[in-house]
Amino acid sequence: MSRILLLGPAREAAGVRDDHIEGATVGEVLRGAVDRYGSTFEEVLKVSKIWVNGEPSSREQAVGPQDEVAVLPPVSGG
Amino acid sequence: MDAKGNVDWVEVAETPLEADLLEQWATRPECGAIVTFCGTTRRSSSTGHDVTELEYETSVELAEGRMREVIAVARERWPDIVAVAIHHRIGRVLLGQPAVVIVVSSPHRREAFEAAQYCIDTVKKGVPMWKREVWPTGSAWSQEAHDIVSVHDA
């Protein structure tokens, strides 16, 4: 069970900003997120970058209860 | 403050930004240059609406962490810069108000200009931040968005 943080358009598509989802890897957590939030979220996820604990991550990276998986759609600050 | 007396100040908050306060903070007797960049919200719309406000959203922890990385890289590239502040506002910001302020002080102007330019360019490309365009009857995410990049690649 990892914490997932959904930001900007990902937050809007999922309907929540943070949640807890089962999964031994980043990829498994994200598959669980798609199952939970549906196709609109899946579309946003396709164009998003993934960070774990504030650092860019691969889908294969192992995660546990202390880890935070963040979904970052394309950014537009400044 | 590091061993050379250099200081950083990053902040992401809903409070209005005050550039003059940051300039006073960055003023040092050894510095002959203070460069300030103010990014203000403007009427231009990526969604074709008559935008009246912009609304910024982020994770404060992730955004401030990335801003500290931006300053660390700026210090590697321009070792003479002294005080560096990056403040970004979140929540709703009326048109014409600052959404981001960057202040860099240094002994001479060239490195202050170059470091400030690097900081704003990298904040826009490398800090997690999302902008929503707000008009009287609705709102939508800005279409002027791009993949977040490393602070070294911006």
Side-chain angles (χ1 to χ4, degrees), chain A residues 3 5-12 17 47-49 51 53-56 68 70-78, chain B residues 56-60 62 66 69 88 99-100 120 124-132 141-142 144-148:
Chain A
R3 180 171 183 240
L5 182 62
L6 305 143
L7 297 170
R11 188 241 345 126
E12 185 178 57
R17 187 173 186 276
V47 297
S48 296
K49 301 293 184 185
W51 286 4
N53 305 328
E55 298 293 333
E68 179 188 78
V71 178
L72 290 79
V75 296
S76 52
Chain B
Y56 292 89
E57 177 177 328
T58 188
S59 152
V60 171
L62 291 182
R66 258 299 168 94
E69 288 184 42
H88 203 302
V100 59
I120 182 56
K124 289 182 81 79
K125 295 176 186 168
V127 169
M129 186 70 67
W130 293 271
K131 179 164 56 186
R132 212 170 162 83
W141 297 107
S142 172
E144 292 170 355
H146 39 77
D147 288 348
I148 192 164

Side-chain angles (χ1 to χ4, degrees), chain B residues 26-63:
Chain B
T27 301
R28 296 288 187 284
E30 70 271 29
C31 290
I34 300 173
V35 168
T36 302
F37 173 83
C38 275
T40 53
T41 52
R42 64 190 169 100
R43 181 161 284 115
S44 169
S45 168
S46 68
T47 52
H49 293 92
D50 190 11
V51 172
T52 54
E53 292 176 316
L54 297 177
E55 186 171 19
Y56 292 89
E57 177 177 328
T58 188
S59 152
V60 171
E61 184 183 357
L62 291 182

Side-chain angles (χ1 to χ4, degrees), chain B residues 4-6 27-33 82 106-108:
Chain B
K4 292 164 66 182
N6 295 333
T27 301
R28 296 288 187 284
E30 70 271 29
C31 290
V82 175
S106 64
H108 302 288

Side-chain angles (χ1 to χ4, degrees), chain B residues 4 6 70-82 84 104-106 110-119 122:
Chain B
K4 292 164 66 182
N6 295 333
V70 171
I71 295 176
V73 172
R75 290 196 180 284
E76 287 172 16
R77 295 185 184 181
W78 297 277
D80 289 342
I81 59 176
V82 175
V84 183
V104 180
S105 65
S106 64
R110 186 182 59 81
E111 56 268 32
F113 273 120
E114 291 177 358
Q117 168 108 50
Y118 164 78
C119 286
T122 312

Side-chain angles (χ1 to χ4, degrees), chain A residues 55-73:
Chain A
E55 298 293 333
S57 159
S58 71
R59 298 294 203 269
E60 292 73 34
Q61 183 171 334
V63 287
Q66 306 304 316
D67 294 317
E68 179 188 78
V69 177
V71 178
L72 290 79

